[in-house]
Amino acid sequence: MKKALALLLAMVMVFALAACGQQAAAPAAAPAAAPAGDAAPAAAPAGEEVIKIGYVSDLTGGTALWGNAGKYGAEMAVDEINAAGGVLGGKKLQLVAMDGKGEAADSVNALRKLITDEGIVAEIGTNFSSCNIPMAAVADEMKVPIIGTAASNELVTVDENGKLHPYSFRMCFIDSYLGTVMGTYATKNLGLTKAALFTVAGNTNSESVGAFVKDAFIANGGTIVSEEQCQEADVDFRAQLAKIKAAEPEVIFVMMNDYAKNATFAKQAREMGIDCLLMGHDGWDSQQLAAEAQGALEGCKYVSRIGFSKPEAKEFGEKVAAKYNIGMEAECLFGWDGVHWIVDAIERAGSADPTAIRDALEATDVFEGLIGTLVMDPATHNPAMACAIYECHGDAFEYVETVEAVQ
């Protein structure tokens, strides 16, 4: 991590931490049923000119818990803004959501449909780098800005040659920072020296964050004693766990983005007598994971955004959970913040023209959201922001501490 970014983060956190509480996230309630397909657009206010904002995420499938939570947060933001008078002197917002199914091709098709058929001026989502990387080229081609939520791979906003995607933005830290925090924290804060690394073959986020975890762990004196992978569709990890067990690690870095599979991995590990620490990244960021693990993740940790450790974010999460009968899922914060960031850009631009919105997003200095303080870099469209450590106790993950810049 470059020293300039580290210094910038340190300065920002002096202010950001003043607003952060240390309250634990509430246990998850049972998730609401996911819609059967594309979500119907929210009804446009009759007789009024509306500004349409698109939302693409996994509204069905194994990770629909996250996609729908983000949609609900965005819906609540739109409702609040409309009730307060709308934007640009009275124009109302309309959220149009479509199901990308967590798949690249479906997400690209959904984005094209939102732009050509619905006339959106900007789009929020997805929460997967593997989807947002191809969506970035579509956004550039059709000149409509998109904002990834938890899409953390570097290629979401820049191509393989380092050239900026002018219409692609994000609201999360990038893989290099997250992986560096994890590897550094495990060595410097926890004093661990022997680790196993478990990733998903071909998964952009899993392999990328895993590589940075490995580099940071080794750079700080640790040794990777075992490296194993699974395929995306795998649900039985015993063969890989047997090899990991033989290497006797003190910690296993588990880089999977499916809370059900993470829970299965943990339970299988404990059944095989592996009792070491398991540690994950933001792919673990679900209270449903703690419940489904049935005690197998007790005392285990993950690194993610500040999220519900902020009192105002926790309060909003509780409102979403109560209104939609779901658990406390941090993706709802991204939906809320995404709408408000777009509206902030519209008001600063004085226009709902997509290119004007893009220019205003890029010109953002600091955006204060429920997920934390985002300091935007116009050269990369990446925000600098702090992250937090969470630990499993019972059926919930609880906030432990905030991690600032790492060298």
Side-chain angles (χ1 to χ4, degrees):
M1 182 57 60
K2 295 181 179 179
K3 292 185 177 179
L5 176 57
L7 291 172
L8 178 59
L9 276 166
M11 290 187 291
V12 170
M13 286 310 301
V14 170
F15 299 100
L17 289 176
C20 292
Q22 296 187 6
Q23 300 182 26
D38 288 349
E48 295 184 78
E49 180 182 355
V50 296
I51 297 171
K52 293 184 178 182
I53 296 174
Y55 179 83
V56 178
S57 197
D58 43 334
L59 303 181
T60 58
T63 55
L65 184 72
W66 293 328
N68 282 294
K71 179 171 74 76
Y72 299 150
E75 287 176 348
M76 290 184 69
V78 166
D79 289 344
E80 180 190 77
I81 292 166
N82 284 343
V87 298
L88 298 178
K91 295 180 181 179
K92 297 302 175 67
L93 299 175
Q94 180 183 357
L95 185 76
V96 187
M98 288 192 176
D99 187 9
K101 304 177 183 178
E103 300 292 338
D106 292 289
S107 298
V108 166
N109 290 337
L111 177 60
R112 286 190 179 276
K113 187 174 181 180
L114 284 169
I115 295 171
T116 57
D117 295 356
E118 298 292 340
I120 63 167
V121 299
E123 182 271 342
I124 304 164
T126 70
N127 48 333
F128 294 114
S129 296
S130 57
C131 297
N132 272 73
I133 290 171
M135 287 170 67
V138 176
D140 292 345
E141 171 196 342
M142 306 188 80
K143 293 182 168 50
V144 172
I146 64 174
I147 301 175
T149 57
S152 56
N153 188 275
E154 282 81 350
L155 297 179
V156 166
T157 58
V158 298
D159 66 17
E160 295 88 345
N161 299 314
K163 182 180 178 182
L164 180 70
H165 284 295
Y167 283 83
S168 184
F169 299 81
R170 78 172 96 227
M171 288 186 285
C172 64
F173 33 62
I174 58 178
D175 288 350
S176 58
Y177 180 66
L178 180 58
T180 301
V181 167
M182 288 183 64
T184 303
Y185 187 85
T187 51
K188 290 189 174 181
N189 294 69
L190 302 180
L192 303 175
T193 60
K194 295 171 60 180
L197 177 63
F198 188 84
T199 58
V200 180
N203 182 286
T204 305
N205 175 263
S206 177
E207 292 188 328
S208 177
V209 178
F212 287 109
V213 170
K214 176 181 176 180
D215 289 347
F217 193 78
I218 293 173
N220 285 286
T223 302
I224 302 295
V225 296
S226 177
E227 290 188 61
E228 295 294 329
Q229 287 193 312
C230 69
Q231 299 300 312
E232 197 75 60
D234 288 351
V235 293
D236 188 340
F237 312 110
R238 292 179 180 89
Q240 296 95 328
L241 283 167
K243 296 177 182 178
I244 290 173
K245 181 179 180 180
E248 299 183 345
E250 298 167 309
V251 58
I252 306 174
F253 295 112
V254 187
M255 304 290 100
M256 287 196 288
N257 290 301
D258 184 316
Y259 61 87
K261 290 181 180 179
N262 279 317
T264 298
F265 183 96
K267 287 186 284 189
Q268 290 177 357
R270 301 318 186 207
E271 289 167 2
M272 294 176 65
I274 301 172
D275 58 3
C276 68
L277 175 70
L278 305 183
M279 193 168 177
H281 65 333
D282 57 355
W284 285 33
D285 202 349
S286 171
Q287 291 301 326
Q288 191 71 15
L289 168 60
E292 289 203 14
Q294 299 176 334
L297 286 173
E298 185 69 24
C300 294
K301 306 176 190 293
Y302 74 86
V303 183
S304 188
R305 63 201 64 85
I306 293 173
F308 295 132
S309 63
K310 292 181 64 176
E312 59 268 40
K314 183 173 182 288
E315 180 182 356
F316 177 71
E318 290 170 344
K319 289 179 181 178
V320 174
K323 180 174 181 178
Y324 295 97
N325 190 31
I326 64 171
M328 292 273 286
E329 296 298 331
E331 193 70 20
C332 72
L333 307 180
F334 279 122
W336 173 272
D337 282 355
V339 169
H340 278 276
W341 190 19
I342 290 169
V343 168
D344 173 67
I346 290 173
E347 294 289 6
R348 283 188 286 114
S351 170
D353 173 74
T355 297
I357 296 172
R358 187 222 77 87
D359 292 345
L361 289 172
E362 187 175 87
T364 303
D365 183 12
V366 175
F367 175 76
E368 295 285 355
L370 293 180
I371 58 173
T373 301
L374 280 62
V375 181
M376 298 305 300
D377 182 353
T380 63
H381 290 182
N382 295 329
M385 60 188 298
C387 52
I389 308 296
Y390 298 87
E391 184 172 290
C392 185
H393 295 287
D395 288 342
F397 280 100
E398 300 177 2
Y399 169 81
V400 177
E401 60 182 310
T402 296
V403 178
E404 299 185 38
V406 292
Q407 297 288 344

